[in-house]
Amino acid sequence: MEDEMRSMCTNKVWDLEEIPKGAKTVGCKWVYKTKRDSKGNIDRHKARIIMSFILKPSRLIIMALIAHYDLELHQMDVKTAFLNGELYENVFMAQPKGFVVKEKENLGCRLKISIYGLKQASRQSFDFKENIEDNCIYTKFKNGKFIFLVLYVDDILLASSDMNLLLETKNFLSSNFDTKDLREASYVLGIEIHRDRRKGVLGLSQKAYIENILKKYSMYKCKASPVPIGDVFGNFQCPKNKYEIDRIKSVPYALPVGNIMYAQVCIRLDLAFTRSCLKNLRVEYWIAVKKTLWYLRGTKSLMLTYRKSNALEIVGYSDANMAGCRDTRKSMSSYIFTLAGEPFRGRTQNNQLLHRQQSTLRL
């Protein structure tokens, strides 16, 4: 945090000024990251001040385009605060928590340079064209060649159809920001990237992330389960007495569910239904959480795979059961979409699902 504040001071990001009457102050928050290598070892600890916490691992769907068009894929890391150019509007930010200047608590930070997460920041980014649906994805076209820039706080992925354009962009970034060139991308946001360009295959794995989860909850050597969930849940399982209420309060329910959710929204789409069931604090649900971790123990090596295909098109399937909800007796529907890969055919076992579905995205 002190390194980040020193960076803000060095780059003269803001001035402490009296907040004008009627002006609104934008909040900020600290985001902490433990940078790990592909083996799960801690590389370094980082802290960032951002205007909002934007987590959209679904933007990794760009991997489908990388596999289909055989794009160059490199990665860069921003060592200090990622600053996006000068601001011409008056924007006041609250002083960062833990670093409020004594006897100046009533002052605000008038931003001179836009920091990550600020709405104005997207207009300051390297003359790239901002994606309408996701303002953390940028594109640039030059002489029939193109490049994608995917940004997540201080991680940058660069995917280009031309190596020269890629190097040109990297040189531009390095000359304007304190960055580290990680060359070909292999590990980002807890996701390992495995690629075989000769076969036109790109695979995404969270093996190291899952192993860390299992170690965290002392389930690294637990017995593997063949399915993530097998029970039907409903309100009839609510705690019925004070003993059951006190018992459920003693379990670390929210953290493992959050860990499972991150894996699910990134690449482990086979956990979508399971995660949707783990929404209530009940004894039976805690048992289901542990069973899901057992399932991850046995399937930690599964990968979401994209491959070069004959036609880049989205194909969707849907299905529903009959009155599957025990509380409302409504039917539960399911849907699946594939892109840049062959859709699965017929029914498959859960432990084979990711291999058979190829490139699947949950919309």
Side-chain angles (χ1 to χ4, degrees):
M1 293 165 72
E2 291 174 350
D3 288 342
E4 176 76 347
M5 291 299 293
R6 277 193 293 269
S7 173
M8 293 291 179
C9 181
T10 301
N11 289 280
K12 300 178 180 178
V13 177
W14 64 66
D15 289 329
L16 280 180
E17 295 183 3
E18 187 98 20
I19 302 174
K21 186 176 181 180
K24 291 185 178 180
T25 303
V26 181
C28 65
K29 67 184 301 183
W30 286 100
V31 173
Y32 308 100
K33 294 179 67 176
T34 301
K35 306 288 287 190
R36 300 178 182 271
D37 58 25
S38 59
K39 296 181 180 179
N41 300 316
I42 295 177
D43 185 21
R44 61 190 181 281
H45 299 280
K46 302 178 75 172
R48 290 286 176 264
I49 299 174
I50 66 174
M51 308 303 291
S52 60
F53 185 66
I54 304 172
L55 177 59
K56 292 184 179 179
S58 57
R59 63 178 57 116
L60 290 174
I61 193 60
I62 202 170
M63 295 295 178
L65 303 180
I66 294 170
H68 181 75
Y69 293 109
D70 191 29
L71 304 180
E72 304 290 341
L73 179 61
H74 283 222
Q75 182 179 3
M76 299 185 76
D77 178 74
V78 182
K79 294 182 181 179
T80 56
F82 189 78
L83 310 172
N84 298 286
E86 296 182 1
L87 277 176
Y88 300 100
E89 302 95 337
N90 285 327
V91 179
F92 286 86
M93 182 185 78
Q95 296 186 51
K97 185 177 181 180
F99 292 87
V100 178
V101 180
K102 188 175 293 187
E103 298 182 356
K104 294 184 179 180
E105 295 87 350
N106 62 319
L107 302 183
C109 303
R110 185 181 65 81
L111 295 180
K112 299 191 293 183
I113 299 177
S114 57
I115 66 176
Y116 184 84
L118 185 65
K119 183 178 180 181
Q120 287 85 346
S122 61
R123 294 185 240 144
Q124 312 285 340
S125 301
F126 336 125
D127 293 327
F128 275 54
K129 184 177 180 180
E130 178 186 348
N131 184 280
I132 297 176
E133 300 297 331
D134 189 337
N135 58 13
C136 289
I137 297 179
Y138 303 85
T139 56
K140 184 176 182 178
F141 294 87
K142 183 178 180 180
N143 299 327
K145 309 297 182 180
F146 62 89
I147 184 170
F148 293 104
L149 187 151
V150 183
L151 174 66
Y152 176 71
V153 185
D154 50 18
D155 287 308
I156 299 175
L157 284 178
L158 297 169
S160 179
S161 60
D162 180 70
M163 179 58 79
N164 290 329
L165 181 57
L166 177 68
L167 295 176
E168 179 183 312
T169 303
K170 291 170 74 172
N171 289 335
F172 176 83
L173 292 172
S174 298
S175 63
N176 286 275
F177 308 102
D178 188 6
T179 61
K180 181 179 180 181
D181 187 356
L182 303 178
R183 301 185 182 278
E184 291 193 20
S186 60
Y187 189 77
V188 61
L189 300 180
I191 300 172
E192 302 166 55
I193 302 173
H194 303 274
R195 196 173 185 189
D196 188 334
R197 298 186 70 173
R198 185 177 61 84
K199 296 181 179 179
V201 175
L202 187 152
L204 303 177
S205 169
Q206 286 182 296
K207 182 178 180 180
Y209 173 76
I210 292 173
E211 287 180 342
N212 286 330
I213 294 175
L214 296 172
K215 290 176 182 178
K216 182 177 181 180
Y217 301 108
S218 301
M219 292 190 179
Y220 188 73
K221 296 183 179 180
C222 67
K223 184 179 179 180
S225 172
V227 293
I229 198 168
D231 302 317
V232 177
F233 296 101
N235 292 329
F236 62 92
Q237 293 165 314
C238 288
K240 301 176 178 62
N241 51 54
K242 186 177 184 302
Y243 169 76
E244 292 185 354
I245 294 175
D246 293 339
R247 180 186 173 192
I248 199 63
K249 288 181 180 179
S250 65
V251 300
Y253 188 82
L255 284 176
V257 171
N259 294 144
I260 293 170
M261 181 183 297
Y262 182 76
Q264 179 256 310
V265 298
C266 288
I267 66 171
R268 292 303 301 265
L269 308 175
D270 53 329
L271 297 174
F273 174 73
T274 300
R275 197 274 307 165
S276 68
C277 292
L278 304 177
K279 58 186 179 182
N280 292 307
L281 195 60
R282 300 167 188 159
V283 175
E284 291 80 1
Y285 282 72
W286 172 239
I287 296 173
V289 169
K290 293 194 291 185
K291 188 172 182 179
T292 304
L293 294 175
W294 300 341
Y295 172 71
L296 287 174
R297 165 76 172 83
T299 60
K300 61 184 180 181
S301 297
L302 289 184
M303 299 171 63
L304 180 61
T305 306
Y306 296 99
R307 61 181 69 245
K308 191 171 184 178
S309 59
N310 295 326
L312 189 66
E313 61 179 357
I314 295 178
V315 180
Y317 301 86
S318 63
D319 196 4
N321 63 9
M322 181 62 69
C325 180
R326 294 286 296 270
D327 298 323
T328 64
R329 307 313 300 172
K330 293 180 179 180
S331 299
M332 291 187 291
S333 61
S334 61
Y335 47 91
I336 196 166
F337 291 83
T338 65
L339 174 64
E342 297 176 2
F344 70 96
R345 304 189 184 283
R347 296 183 178 275
T348 60
Q349 295 182 356
N350 278 324
N351 60 355
Q352 298 174 333
L353 192 58
L354 290 185
H355 289 304
R356 293 289 298 277
Q357 289 176 194
Q358 305 298 337
S359 54
T360 307
L361 53 147
R362 190 175 63 88
L363 301 183

